[in-house]
Coordinates of all heavy atoms in Angstrom, one line a residue:
M1 N -135.1 -119.8 27.2 CA -134.7 -118.8 28.1 C -135.9 -118.0 28.6 O -136.7 -117.4 27.8 CB -133.6 -117.9 27.5 CG -133.1 -116.9 28.4 SD -131.7 -116.0 27.6 CE -132.2 -114.4 27.8
S2 N -136.0 -117.8 29.8 CA -137.1 -117.1 30.5 C -136.5 -115.8 30.9 O -135.5 -115.6 31.5 CB -137.6 -117.9 31.6 OG -138.5 -117.2 32.4
V3 N -137.4 -114.8 30.6 CA -137.1 -113.4 31.0 C -138.2 -112.8 31.8 O -139.4 -113.0 31.6 CB -136.9 -112.5 29.8 CG1 -136.6 -111.0 30.1 CG2 -135.9 -113.0 28.8
T4 N -137.8 -112.2 32.9 CA -138.8 -111.6 33.9 C -139.2 -110.2 33.4 O -138.5 -109.6 32.6 CB -138.3 -111.5 35.3 OG1 -137.2 -110.4 35.3 CG2 -137.8 -112.8 35.8
V5 N -140.4 -109.8 33.8 CA -140.9 -108.4 33.5 C -139.9 -107.3 33.9 O -139.6 -106.4 33.2 CB -142.3 -108.2 34.1 CG1 -142.7 -106.7 33.9 CG2 -143.3 -109.1 33.5
S6 N -139.3 -107.6 35.1 CA -138.4 -106.5 35.6 C -137.2 -106.5 34.7 O -136.6 -105.4 34.6 CB -138.1 -106.8 37.1 OG -137.4 -108.0 37.3
E7 N -136.7 -107.6 34.3 CA -135.5 -107.6 33.4 C -135.8 -106.8 32.1 O -135.0 -106.1 31.6 CB -135.1 -109.0 33.1 CG -134.4 -109.8 34.2 CD -134.2 -111.2 33.9 OE1 -135.0 -111.8 33.2 OE2 -133.2 -111.7 34.5
I8 N -137.1 -107.0 31.5 CA -137.5 -106.3 30.4 C -137.5 -104.8 30.6 O -137.1 -104.0 29.9 CB -138.8 -106.8 29.8 CG1 -138.7 -108.3 29.4 CG2 -139.4 -105.9 28.7 CD1 -140.0 -109.0 29.1
E9 N -138.2 -104.5 31.8 CA -138.2 -103.1 32.1 C -136.9 -102.4 32.2 O -136.6 -101.3 31.7 CB -138.9 -102.8 33.5 CG -140.4 -103.1 33.5 CD -141.1 -103.2 34.7 OE1 -140.4 -103.3 35.8 OE2 -142.4 -103.1 34.7
E10 N -136.0 -103.1 32.8 CA -134.6 -102.6 33.0 C -133.9 -102.4 31.7 O -133.2 -101.4 31.3 CB -133.6 -103.4 33.9 CG -134.1 -103.4 35.4 CD -134.0 -101.9 36.0 OE1 -133.0 -101.2 35.6 OE2 -135.0 -101.6 36.6
S11 N -134.0 -103.4 30.7 CA -133.6 -103.3 29.3 C -134.1 -102.1 28.6 O -133.4 -101.3 28.0 CB -133.8 -104.5 28.6 OG -133.2 -105.6 29.2
I12 N -135.4 -101.9 28.8 CA -136.1 -100.7 28.2 C -135.5 -99.4 28.5 O -135.3 -98.5 27.8 CB -137.6 -100.8 28.3 CG1 -138.1 -102.0 27.5 CG2 -138.3 -99.5 27.8 CD1 -139.6 -102.4 27.6
K13 N -135.2 -99.4 29.9 CA -134.7 -98.1 30.4 C -133.4 -97.7 29.8 O -133.0 -96.6 29.8 CB -134.5 -98.2 32.0 CG -135.7 -98.2 32.8 CD -135.5 -98.4 34.2 CE -136.8 -98.5 35.0 NZ -136.5 -98.8 36.5
L14 N -132.5 -98.6 29.4 CA -131.3 -98.4 28.8 C -131.4 -97.9 27.3 O -130.4 -97.4 26.8 CB -130.4 -99.8 28.8 CG -130.2 -100.3 30.2 CD1 -129.4 -101.6 30.1 CD2 -129.3 -99.3 31.0
L15 N -132.5 -98.1 26.7 CA -132.7 -97.6 25.3 C -132.8 -96.0 25.2 O -133.3 -95.4 26.1 CB -134.0 -98.2 24.8 CG -134.1 -99.7 24.5 CD1 -135.5 -100.1 24.1 CD2 -133.0 -100.2 23.6
S16 N -132.4 -95.6 24.1 CA -132.5 -94.1 23.9 C -134.0 -93.8 23.6 O -134.8 -94.8 23.3 CB -131.7 -93.7 22.7 OG -132.3 -94.3 21.5
L17 N -134.4 -92.6 23.8 CA -135.8 -92.2 23.5 C -136.2 -92.5 22.0 O -137.3 -93.0 21.8 CB -136.0 -90.6 23.7 CG -137.4 -90.1 23.8 CD1 -138.2 -91.0 24.8 CD2 -137.3 -88.8 24.2
A18 N -135.3 -92.4 21.1 CA -135.5 -92.7 19.7 C -135.7 -94.2 19.5 O -136.7 -94.6 18.8 CB -134.5 -92.2 18.8
D19 N -135.0 -94.9 20.1 CA -135.1 -96.4 20.1 C -136.4 -97.0 20.8 O -137.1 -97.8 20.3 CB -133.9 -97.1 20.8 CG -132.7 -97.0 20.0 OD1 -132.8 -96.8 18.8 OD2 -131.6 -97.2 20.5
K20 N -136.9 -96.2 21.8 CA -138.1 -96.6 22.5 C -139.3 -96.3 21.6 O -140.2 -97.0 21.4 CB -138.2 -95.8 23.8 CG -137.4 -96.3 24.9 CD -137.5 -95.4 26.1 CE -136.5 -95.8 27.2 NZ -136.5 -95.0 28.4
R21 N -139.3 -95.1 20.7 CA -140.3 -94.8 19.8 C -140.3 -95.8 18.7 O -141.5 -96.3 18.3 CB -140.1 -93.5 19.3 CG -140.4 -92.3 20.2 CD -140.4 -90.9 19.4 NE -139.3 -90.6 18.8 CZ -138.3 -89.9 19.3 NH1 -138.3 -89.4 20.5 NH2 -137.2 -89.6 18.6
V22 N -139.2 -96.3 18.2 CA -139.1 -97.2 17.1 C -139.8 -98.6 17.7 O -140.6 -99.2 17.0 CB -137.7 -97.5 16.7 CG1 -137.6 -98.8 15.8 CG2 -137.1 -96.3 16.0
L23 N -139.4 -99.0 18.9 CA -139.9 -100.1 19.6 C -141.4 -100.1 19.7 O -142.2 -101.1 19.3 CB -139.3 -100.4 20.9 CG -139.8 -101.7 21.7 CD1 -139.4 -103.0 20.9 CD2 -139.1 -101.7 23.0
L24 N -142.0 -99.0 20.2 CA -143.3 -98.9 20.4 C -144.2 -98.9 19.1 O -145.2 -99.5 19.0 CB -143.6 -97.5 21.2 CG -143.5 -97.6 22.7 CD1 -143.6 -96.2 23.2 CD2 -144.5 -98.5 23.3
R25 N -143.6 -98.2 18.1 CA -144.3 -98.2 16.8 C -144.4 -99.6 16.2 O -145.3 -100.0 15.6 CB -143.6 -97.2 15.9 CG -143.9 -95.8 16.2 CD -143.6 -94.8 15.2 NE -144.2 -93.5 15.6 CZ -143.4 -92.5 16.0 NH1 -142.1 -92.6 16.1 NH2 -144.0 -91.3 16.2
A26 N -143.2 -100.3 16.4 CA -143.2 -101.7 15.8 C -144.2 -102.6 16.6 O -145.0 -103.4 16.0 CB -141.8 -102.3 16.0
L27 N -144.4 -102.4 17.9 CA -145.3 -103.2 18.6 C -146.7 -102.8 18.3 O -147.6 -103.7 18.1 CB -145.1 -103.0 20.2 CG -143.7 -103.6 20.7 CD1 -143.6 -103.1 22.2 CD2 -143.9 -105.2 20.7
L28 N -146.9 -101.6 18.0 CA -148.2 -101.2 17.6 C -148.6 -101.7 16.2 O -149.8 -102.1 16.1 CB -148.3 -99.6 17.7 CG -148.5 -99.0 19.0 CD1 -148.1 -97.5 18.9 CD2 -149.7 -99.3 19.7
R29 N -147.7 -101.7 15.4 CA -147.9 -102.3 14.0 C -148.3 -103.8 14.2 O -149.1 -104.3 13.5 CB -146.8 -102.1 13.1 CG -146.7 -100.8 12.5 CD -145.7 -100.7 11.3 NE -144.4 -101.1 11.7 CZ -143.5 -100.3 12.2 NH1 -143.7 -99.1 12.4 NH2 -142.3 -100.7 12.5
E30 N -147.5 -104.4 15.1 CA -147.8 -105.8 15.3 C -149.2 -106.1 15.8 O -149.9 -107.1 15.4 CB -146.7 -106.5 16.2 CG -146.9 -107.9 16.4 CD -145.7 -108.5 17.3 OE1 -144.6 -108.0 17.1 OE2 -146.0 -109.4 18.0
I31 N -149.7 -105.3 16.8 CA -151.0 -105.5 17.4 C -152.2 -104.9 16.6 O -153.3 -105.3 16.9 CB -151.2 -105.1 18.8 CG1 -151.0 -103.6 19.0 CG2 -150.1 -105.9 19.7 CD1 -151.1 -103.0 20.4
D32 N -151.9 -104.1 15.7 CA -153.0 -103.3 14.9 C -153.7 -104.4 14.3 O -153.2 -105.3 13.5 CB -152.3 -102.4 13.9 CG -153.3 -101.4 13.4 OD1 -154.3 -101.1 14.1 OD2 -153.2 -101.0 12.2
G33 N -155.0 -104.3 14.4 CA -156.0 -105.3 13.8 C -156.4 -106.4 14.7 O -157.2 -107.1 14.5
H34 N -155.6 -106.5 15.8 CA -156.0 -107.5 16.8 C -156.8 -106.8 17.9 O -156.3 -105.7 18.3 CB -154.7 -108.2 17.4 CG -154.0 -109.0 16.3 ND1 -153.0 -108.4 15.5 CD2 -154.0 -110.3 15.9 CE1 -152.5 -109.3 14.8 NE2 -153.1 -110.5 15.0
Q35 N -157.8 -107.5 18.4 CA -158.6 -107.0 19.5 C -157.8 -107.0 20.7 O -157.3 -108.1 21.2 CB -159.9 -107.7 19.6 CG -160.9 -107.0 20.4 CD -161.4 -105.7 19.7 OE1 -161.3 -105.5 18.5 NE2 -161.9 -104.8 20.4
I36 N -157.7 -105.9 21.5 CA -157.1 -105.9 22.8 C -158.3 -105.8 23.8 O -159.2 -105.1 23.7 CB -156.2 -104.6 22.9 CG1 -155.1 -104.6 21.9 CG2 -155.8 -104.4 24.3 CD1 -154.4 -103.4 21.8
P37 N -158.2 -106.7 24.8 CA -159.4 -106.8 25.8 C -159.6 -105.5 26.5 O -158.7 -104.7 26.8 CB -158.8 -107.7 26.9 CG -157.8 -108.6 26.2 CD -157.2 -107.7 25.1
G38 N -160.9 -105.0 26.4 CA -161.2 -103.8 27.0 C -161.2 -102.6 26.1 O -161.6 -101.5 26.6
T39 N -160.6 -102.7 25.0 CA -160.5 -101.5 24.0 C -160.3 -102.0 22.6 O -160.1 -103.1 22.4 CB -159.3 -100.6 24.5 OG1 -159.3 -99.4 23.7 CG2 -157.9 -101.3 24.4
Q40 N -160.4 -101.1 21.7 CA -160.1 -101.4 20.3 C -158.6 -101.0 20.0 O -158.1 -99.9 20.5 CB -161.0 -100.6 19.4 CG -162.4 -101.1 19.4 CD -163.3 -100.3 18.5 OE1 -162.9 -99.2 18.0 NE2 -164.4 -100.9 18.2
S41 N -157.9 -101.9 19.3 CA -156.5 -101.5 19.0 C -156.3 -100.2 18.2 O -155.3 -99.6 18.6 CB -155.9 -102.8 18.3 OG -156.5 -102.9 17.0
S42 N -157.2 -99.9 17.4 CA -157.0 -98.6 16.7 C -157.0 -97.4 17.7 O -156.3 -96.5 17.4 CB -158.1 -98.5 15.6 OG -159.3 -98.5 16.1
V43 N -157.9 -97.5 18.6 CA -157.9 -96.5 19.6 C -156.6 -96.4 20.4 O -156.0 -95.3 20.5 CB -159.1 -96.5 20.6 CG1 -159.1 -95.6 21.7 CG2 -160.4 -96.5 19.9
R44 N -156.1 -97.5 20.8 CA -154.8 -97.6 21.5 C -153.7 -97.1 20.7 O -152.8 -96.3 21.2 CB -154.6 -99.0 22.0 CG -153.2 -99.1 22.7 CD -153.0 -100.5 23.3 NE -153.5 -100.5 24.6 CZ -153.4 -101.6 25.5 NH1 -152.9 -102.6 25.0 NH2 -153.7 -101.3 26.7
T45 N -153.7 -97.4 19.4 CA -152.7 -97.0 18.4 C -152.7 -95.5 18.4 O -151.6 -94.8 18.4 CB -152.9 -97.6 17.1 OG1 -152.9 -99.0 17.2 CG2 -151.8 -97.1 16.1
V46 N -153.8 -95.0 18.2 CA -154.0 -93.4 18.0 C -153.5 -92.7 19.2 O -152.7 -91.8 19.2 CB -155.5 -93.0 17.7 CG1 -155.6 -91.6 17.8 CG2 -155.8 -93.5 16.3
L47 N -153.9 -93.3 20.5 CA -153.5 -92.5 21.7 C -152.0 -92.7 21.9 O -151.3 -91.7 22.4 CB -154.3 -93.1 22.9 CG -155.8 -93.0 22.9 CD1 -156.4 -93.6 24.0 CD2 -156.0 -91.4 23.0
T48 N -151.5 -93.8 21.6 CA -150.0 -94.0 21.8 C -149.2 -93.1 20.8 O -148.2 -92.5 21.1 CB -149.6 -95.5 21.6 OG1 -150.3 -96.3 22.5 CG2 -148.1 -95.7 21.7
L49 N -149.6 -93.0 19.5 CA -149.0 -92.1 18.6 C -149.1 -90.7 19.0 O -148.1 -90.0 18.9 CB -149.5 -92.4 17.3 CG -149.2 -93.8 16.5 CD1 -149.9 -93.9 15.2 CD2 -147.7 -93.9 16.5
E50 N -150.3 -90.3 19.6 CA -150.3 -89.0 20.1 C -149.4 -88.8 21.2 O -148.7 -87.7 21.3 CB -151.8 -88.7 20.6 CG -152.8 -88.6 19.5 CD -154.2 -88.3 20.0 OE1 -154.4 -88.3 21.2 OE2 -155.1 -88.3 19.2
A51 N -149.2 -89.7 22.1 CA -148.3 -89.5 23.3 C -146.9 -89.6 22.7 O -145.9 -88.7 23.2 CB -148.5 -90.8 24.2
L52 N -146.5 -90.3 21.7 CA -145.2 -90.2 21.1 C -144.9 -88.9 20.5 O -143.8 -88.3 20.6 CB -144.9 -91.3 20.1 CG -145.0 -92.8 20.6 CD1 -145.0 -93.8 19.5 CD2 -143.7 -92.9 21.4
D53 N -145.9 -88.2 19.9 CA -145.8 -86.9 19.4 C -145.5 -85.9 20.5 O -144.7 -85.0 20.4 CB -147.0 -86.5 18.6 CG -147.3 -87.3 17.3 OD1 -146.2 -87.7 16.8 OD2 -148.3 -87.2 16.8
D54 N -146.2 -86.1 21.7 CA -146.0 -85.2 22.8 C -144.5 -85.4 23.3 O -143.8 -84.4 23.6 CB -146.9 -85.6 24.0 CG -148.3 -85.1 23.8 OD1 -148.5 -84.1 23.0 OD2 -149.2 -85.7 24.4
V55 N -144.0 -86.6 23.2 CA -142.6 -86.8 23.6 C -141.6 -86.2 22.7 O -140.7 -85.5 23.1 CB -142.4 -88.3 23.8 CG1 -140.8 -88.6 24.1 CG2 -143.0 -89.0 24.9
D56 N -141.9 -86.3 21.4 CA -141.1 -85.7 20.4 C -141.0 -84.1 20.6 O -140.1 -83.5 20.3 CB -141.6 -86.0 18.9 CG -141.3 -87.4 18.6 OD1 -140.5 -88.1 19.2 OD2 -142.0 -88.0 17.7
A57 N -142.2 -83.5 21.1 CA -142.3 -82.2 21.2 C -141.8 -81.7 22.7 O -142.1 -80.6 23.1 CB -143.7 -81.6 20.9
N58 N -141.2 -82.6 23.4 CA -140.9 -82.3 24.8 C -141.9 -82.0 25.7 O -141.8 -81.2 26.6 CB -139.7 -81.3 24.7 CG -138.4 -81.9 24.2 OD1 -138.1 -83.0 24.4 ND2 -137.8 -81.1 23.5
R59 N -143.2 -82.5 25.5 CA -144.3 -82.4 26.4 C -144.5 -83.5 27.2 O -145.2 -84.4 26.9 CB -145.5 -82.0 25.6 CG -145.5 -80.7 24.8 CD -146.9 -80.4 24.2 NE -147.3 -81.4 23.3 CZ -147.1 -81.4 22.0 NH1 -146.6 -80.4 21.3 NH2 -147.6 -82.4 21.2
F60 N -143.7 -83.7 28.3 CA -143.7 -84.8 29.2 C -143.1 -84.5 30.5 O -142.5 -83.4 30.7 CB -143.0 -86.1 28.5 CG -141.6 -85.9 28.3 CD1 -140.7 -86.2 29.3 CD2 -141.1 -85.3 27.1 CE1 -139.3 -86.0 29.1 CE2 -139.8 -85.2 26.8 CZ -138.9 -85.5 27.8
V61 N -143.4 -85.3 31.5 CA -142.9 -85.1 32.8 C -141.8 -86.2 33.0 O -141.9 -87.4 32.7 CB -144.0 -85.4 33.9 CG1 -143.3 -85.2 35.3 CG2 -145.1 -84.4 33.7
D62 N -140.7 -85.7 33.5 CA -139.4 -86.6 33.7 C -139.8 -87.7 34.6 O -140.5 -87.6 35.5 CB -138.3 -85.8 34.3 CG -137.1 -86.6 34.4 OD1 -136.4 -86.9 33.4 OD2 -136.7 -86.9 35.6
H63 N -139.4 -89.0 34.3 CA -139.7 -90.1 35.1 C -139.3 -90.0 36.4 O -140.0 -90.4 37.3 CB -139.1 -91.3 34.3 CG -139.3 -92.6 35.1 ND1 -140.6 -93.2 35.1 CD2 -138.6 -93.5 35.8 CE1 -140.6 -94.3 35.8 NE2 -139.4 -94.5 36.3
D64 N -138.1 -89.5 36.7 CA -137.6 -89.3 38.1 C -138.5 -88.3 38.9 O -138.7 -88.5 40.1 CB -136.2 -88.8 38.1 CG -135.2 -89.9 37.7 OD1 -135.5 -91.0 37.8 OD2 -134.1 -89.6 37.1
D65 N -139.1 -87.3 38.2 CA -140.0 -86.4 38.9 C -141.2 -87.0 39.3 O -141.8 -86.9 40.4 CB -140.3 -85.2 38.0 CG -139.1 -84.3 37.8 OD1 -138.1 -84.3 38.6 OD2 -139.1 -83.4 36.9
V66 N -141.8 -87.8 38.4 CA -142.9 -88.6 38.7 C -142.7 -89.6 39.9 O -143.6 -89.7 40.8 CB -143.5 -89.4 37.5 CG1 -144.7 -90.3 37.7 CG2 -143.9 -88.4 36.4
K67 N -141.6 -90.3 39.8 CA -141.3 -91.2 41.0 C -141.2 -90.5 42.3 O -141.7 -90.9 43.3 CB -140.1 -92.0 40.7 CG -140.3 -93.0 39.6 CD -139.0 -93.8 39.2 CE -137.8 -93.8 40.1 NZ -136.6 -94.6 39.7
A68 N -140.6 -89.3 42.3 CA -140.5 -88.4 43.5 C -141.8 -88.0 44.0 O -142.1 -88.1 45.2 CB -139.5 -87.4 43.3
W69 N -142.7 -87.6 43.0 CA -144.0 -87.1 43.4 C -144.8 -88.3 44.0 O -145.4 -88.1 45.1 CB -144.7 -86.5 42.1 CG -146.1 -86.3 42.4 CD1 -146.7 -85.2 43.1 CD2 -147.3 -87.1 41.9 NE1 -148.1 -85.4 43.1 CE2 -148.4 -86.5 42.3 CE3 -147.3 -88.2 41.2 CZ2 -149.6 -87.0 42.1 CZ3 -148.5 -88.8 40.8 CH2 -149.7 -88.1 41.3
A70 N -144.8 -89.5 43.4 CA -145.5 -90.6 43.8 C -145.0 -91.1 45.2 O -145.8 -91.4 46.0 CB -145.4 -91.8 42.9
K71 N -143.7 -91.0 45.4 CA -143.1 -91.4 46.7 C -143.6 -90.5 47.8 O -143.8 -90.8 48.9 CB -141.5 -91.5 46.6 CG -141.0 -91.9 47.8 CD -139.4 -92.0 47.6 CE -138.8 -92.5 48.9 NZ -137.3 -92.6 48.8
S72 N -143.7 -89.2 47.4 CA -144.1 -88.2 48.5 C -145.5 -88.3 48.9 O -145.9 -87.8 50.0 CB -143.9 -86.7 47.8 OG -144.8 -86.4 46.9
L73 N -146.4 -89.0 48.0 CA -147.8 -89.1 48.4 C -147.9 -89.9 49.7 O -148.9 -89.7 50.4 CB -148.5 -89.9 47.3 CG -148.6 -89.1 46.0 CD1 -149.4 -89.9 45.0 CD2 -149.4 -87.7 46.2
A74 N -147.0 -90.7 50.0 CA -147.0 -91.5 51.2 C -146.8 -90.6 52.5 O -147.2 -91.0 53.6 CB -146.0 -92.7 51.2
T75 N -146.1 -89.5 52.3 CA -145.8 -88.7 53.4 C -146.5 -87.3 53.5 O -146.4 -86.7 54.5 CB -144.2 -88.4 53.4 OG1 -143.8 -87.8 52.2 CG2 -143.5 -89.7 53.6
T76 N -147.0 -86.9 52.3 CA -147.7 -85.6 52.3 C -149.1 -85.7 51.8 O -149.4 -86.5 50.9 CB -146.9 -84.7 51.2 OG1 -145.5 -84.7 51.5 CG2 -147.4 -83.3 51.1
S77 N -150.0 -85.1 52.5 CA -151.4 -85.2 52.2 C -151.8 -84.4 51.0 O -152.7 -84.7 50.3 CB -152.3 -84.9 53.4 OG -152.0 -83.6 53.8
H78 N -151.3 -83.2 50.9 CA -151.7 -82.2 49.7 C -150.3 -81.8 49.1 O -149.7 -80.9 49.6 CB -152.4 -81.1 50.3 CG -153.6 -81.5 51.0 ND1 -154.7 -82.1 50.4 CD2 -153.9 -81.4 52.3 CE1 -155.7 -82.3 51.2 NE2 -155.3 -82.0 52.5
L79 N -150.1 -82.3 47.9 CA -148.9 -82.0 47.2 C -149.4 -81.7 45.7 O -150.0 -82.6 45.1 CB -147.9 -83.1 47.2 CG -146.5 -82.8 46.6 CD1 -145.7 -81.8 47.5 CD2 -145.7 -84.1 46.5
P80 N -149.0 -80.6 45.1 CA -149.3 -80.3 43.7 C -148.7 -81.4 42.8 O -147.6 -81.9 43.2 CB -148.8 -79.0 43.5 CG -147.7 -78.8 44.5 CD -148.1 -79.6 45.7
L81 N -149.2 -81.6 41.7 CA -148.7 -82.4 40.6 C -147.4 -81.9 40.1 O -147.3 -80.5 40.1 CB -149.7 -82.6 39.5 CG -150.9 -83.4 39.8 CD1 -151.9 -83.3 38.6 CD2 -150.6 -84.8 40.1
P82 N -146.5 -82.6 39.7 CA -145.2 -82.1 39.1 C -145.4 -81.3 37.8 O -146.4 -81.7 37.1 CB -144.4 -83.3 38.9 CG -145.3 -84.5 38.9 CD -146.5 -84.1 39.7
K83 N -144.6 -80.3 37.6 CA -144.8 -79.6 36.4 C -144.1 -80.2 35.2 O -143.2 -80.9 35.3 CB -144.2 -78.1 36.6 CG -145.1 -77.4 37.6 CD -144.4 -76.0 37.7 CE -145.2 -75.2 38.8 NZ -144.7 -73.9 39.1

């Protein structure tokens, strides 16, 4: 059975934030120790875990806000970053 990237993305969107963290941590454990082109996996692991800590502490920008901001770039020359 073949699955497209967009189908995977849509499935991930349906997961709870807690389930996304579990999935990311499992993927990081799986790749830990394997070289990732362009970077070391340990650096990627540390940065991802820091990002997950930010999400746990509610330090993030809502996805819909980012999409709206990105969409506005096509119509607005000077727009501040979303808060």
Side-chain angles (χ1 to χ4, degrees):
M1 180 174 126
S2 173
V3 179
T4 66
V5 171
S6 61
E7 289 172 327
I8 294 169
E9 289 173 343
E10 288 303 313
S11 296
I12 291 171
K13 287 179 187 177
L14 299 175
L15 295 174
S16 69
L17 195 53
D19 288 340
K20 288 176 186 176
R21 286 194 302 267
V22 168
L23 177 61
L24 280 171
R25 286 190 172 108
L27 290 169
L28 287 169
R29 278 193 304 273
E30 184 176 323
I31 64 170
D32 196 31
H34 294 86
Q35 196 67 22
I36 297 170
T39 187
Q40 293 181 342
S41 63
S42 60
V43 172
R44 176 175 265 182
T45 299
V46 168
L47 293 174
T48 302
L49 292 174
E50 287 176 3
L52 290 170
D53 288 340
D54 285 339
V55 170
D56 288 341
N58 289 322
R59 294 186 302 260
F60 61 90
V61 178
D62 183 72
H63 181 69
D64 290 333
D65 292 341
V66 173
K67 285 177 21 180
W69 170 76
K71 185 177 180 180
S72 74
L73 294 177
T75 58
T76 307
S77 59
H78 300 294
L79 187 70
L81 292 172
K83 294 180 182 179

